[in-house]
Amino acid sequence: MLKRPKMNEYHPFFERYVTLVPDEKLFDILKDQQETTINLLRNISNEQAEYQYEEKKWNLKEVLGHMADAERVLSYYLFVVARGDTLSFPPFDTDLYTTNADFNRLDFQDILSDFSIVRQCTSSLISYLSNNVWIRTGTILNHPTTARALAYIIAGHERHHQAIIKERYLLKYNIDLDSNEKRKSF
């Protein structure tokens, strides 16, 4: 089982994600998250996915697109660090990525499918890494960051956004979070 990273293995900014990951097998967590997110969002309409809970906040299409984009970037960082490269990665501008992706032109179910594919690729990468790579270190946000920290950040980032989706988007439409069925019309 992959051990939880120590706080000195990642920038303090990422603590909010790492702490959200339970003490279970990380690979199982990633697989379960993928199923949970798909089940949670599979019946969301395009109209529902364009809802913003507050002005200047992303809508659900943008949140899910951001989740896929962030996972792509973090998985790349993980890949590079695991392979022993010592590159230093600057932060990426999530608002710029989301704006330039123009997720609102896409069908929500296509964004959900893309997210699922990205997670499958991340899971595949993680499943094939040997035990000796997890403590390899790169530099993220000008801070030494291990491969295992990046894996935990990926899992925690999704958990963070799952909570936001449930609290600020799905409750708006009175969606039953257990069955993902709409209880009343919006």
Side-chain angles (χ1 to χ4, degrees), residues 2-172:
L2 187 60
K3 292 183 181 179
R4 176 177 297 282
K6 297 176 181 137
M7 289 183 69
N8 66 346
E9 294 181 44
Y10 52 87
H11 189 282
F13 171 83
F14 295 118
E15 178 69 11
R16 61 182 168 164
Y17 301 134
V18 173
T19 59
L20 295 175
V21 181
D23 290 323
E24 300 168 14
K25 290 184 178 180
L26 187 66
F27 188 77
D28 292 341
I29 291 169
L30 293 170
K31 184 179 177 191
D32 289 346
Q33 282 182 330
Q34 179 181 1
E35 291 173 15
T36 299
T37 298
I38 290 168
N39 290 333
L40 195 62
L41 301 175
R42 70 173 173 228
N43 295 322
I44 301 296
S45 70
N46 271 318
E47 184 178 3
Q48 290 171 319
E50 292 173 357
Y51 164 74
Q52 291 173 272
Y53 67 89
E54 195 175 290
E55 189 177 338
K56 297 190 179 188
K57 293 291 185 179
W58 293 337
N59 63 36
L60 199 48
K61 285 182 173 183
E62 293 166 324
V63 170
L64 187 59
H66 158 73
M67 289 169 64
D69 278 359
E71 186 154 328
R72 277 185 176 97
V73 171
L74 292 168
S75 290
Y76 174 69
Y77 293 174
L78 172 59
F79 170 75
V80 171
V81 171
R83 293 296 191 253
D85 204 332
T86 57
L87 292 175
S88 178
F89 297 100
F92 63 100
D93 186 334
T94 58
D95 288 321
L96 177 70
Y97 280 38
T98 301
T99 298
N100 288 335
D102 191 17
F103 292 115
N104 289 315
R105 69 182 163 72
L106 303 173
D107 182 83
F108 183 69
Q109 294 306 313
D110 291 339
I111 300 169
L112 184 59
S113 176
D114 181 61
F115 168 79
S116 180
I117 291 166
V118 170
R119 176 48 61 96
Q120 288 171 14
C121 292
T122 300
S123 295
S124 177
L125 170 65
I126 288 172
S127 71
Y128 288 111
L129 293 177
S130 59
N131 289 335
N132 65 330
V133 306
W134 293 111
I135 58 170
R136 289 185 182 157
T137 304
T139 304
I140 315 294
L141 302 180
N142 295 316
H143 193 283
T145 306
T146 62
R148 73 175 165 191
L150 287 161
Y152 270 78
I153 292 164
I154 289 168
H157 183 258
E158 180 171 351
R159 189 164 282 238
H160 164 78
H161 282 292
Q162 275 183 10
I164 290 172
I165 288 168
K166 289 175 185 177
E167 294 167 11
R168 298 184 185 159
Y169 295 91
L170 298 186
L171 290 179
K172 158 71 174 161

